[in-house]
Amino acid sequence: RRAVRGRARAAAARSLELDLDAFQAGGYRRGEKEGPLAVRLEPPDGLPPLVVRLAPEGRIFGGAFALEVSTAEPVLPTTQGLSARGRGVVRLARVAWRARRGDAAGAALARRLDEDAALQERLAAVHFERLRVEPDGRPVVRHMGGSVVWILFPPVVRPIPLTAEQARATARALGAF
């Protein structure tokens, strides 16, 4: 099990380099390391600085190092955090935001994000697994591409590439917040 996890971590480090290359194709420049598998990206004009990280999510028989892209600084008001769910049967039609129970500030922010047509349009172009807003106000896109998936039986480590087009779409969506 340790050998497969070790191979997955090494693959995640290689995958992070490829993810960073995809963002650099969109004009971002590498900044400081924010952690073992996280790097700050400095923006071209008009876009926010980003943090690109591979977040480990392990299970007993497998797991992933999932690509998460967020703004480097908070860009939304403080809440208890928001989550989002994509709506649409075949194609993403819209994103519905939800606040935690009892969070009035979060409910107001969720309504504002639900009604923002420009944000909805930008998010529709992103192939995300999950969206959330951290309590401090940083939006986070958990991406489908750019990640590494591993399973123990049979021992497989599989990187999922991130295209430059998806990196640009993700940066534009985060800029719309």
Side-chain angles (χ1 to χ4, degrees), residues 16-165:
L16 179 61
E17 290 299 315
L18 296 174
D19 297 343
L20 294 173
D21 290 344
F23 280 95
Q24 285 179 299
Y28 275 88
R29 297 175 316 282
R30 289 180 198 221
E32 297 178 15
K33 286 189 85 162
E34 297 277 325
L37 290 173
V39 175
R40 180 183 171 107
L41 292 174
E42 300 302 329
D45 292 336
L47 292 172
L50 302 177
V51 173
V52 175
R53 69 188 281 262
L54 287 175
E57 183 178 80
R59 293 181 184 83
I60 295 171
F61 297 111
F65 285 89
L67 175 64
E68 291 189 346
V69 185
S70 69
T71 58
E73 307 297 329
V75 296
L76 297 170
T78 304
T79 64
Q80 292 179 16
L82 301 177
S83 61
R85 169 172 267 152
R87 302 285 186 208
V89 177
V90 175
R91 185 168 178 254
L92 180 68
R94 64 185 298 306
V95 173
W97 292 90
R98 287 182 293 160
R100 294 180 193 262
R101 184 174 294 159
D103 182 11
L109 179 58
R111 279 191 302 279
R112 197 173 97 203
L113 296 176
D114 280 343
E115 295 167 359
D116 187 335
L119 175 63
Q120 292 286 337
E121 183 180 326
R122 296 266 173 97
L123 288 173
V126 178
H127 299 147
F128 62 86
E129 179 184 342
R130 273 186 246 151
L131 297 172
R132 69 179 187 275
V133 175
E134 294 289 342
D136 69 358
R138 285 178 299 114
V140 179
V141 175
R142 189 176 182 107
H143 220 284
M144 294 182 85
S147 304
V148 174
V149 178
W150 62 275
I151 56 174
L152 194 55
F153 299 110
V156 175
V157 175
R158 173 90 47 200
I160 302 165
L162 176 72
T163 65
E165 176 187 335

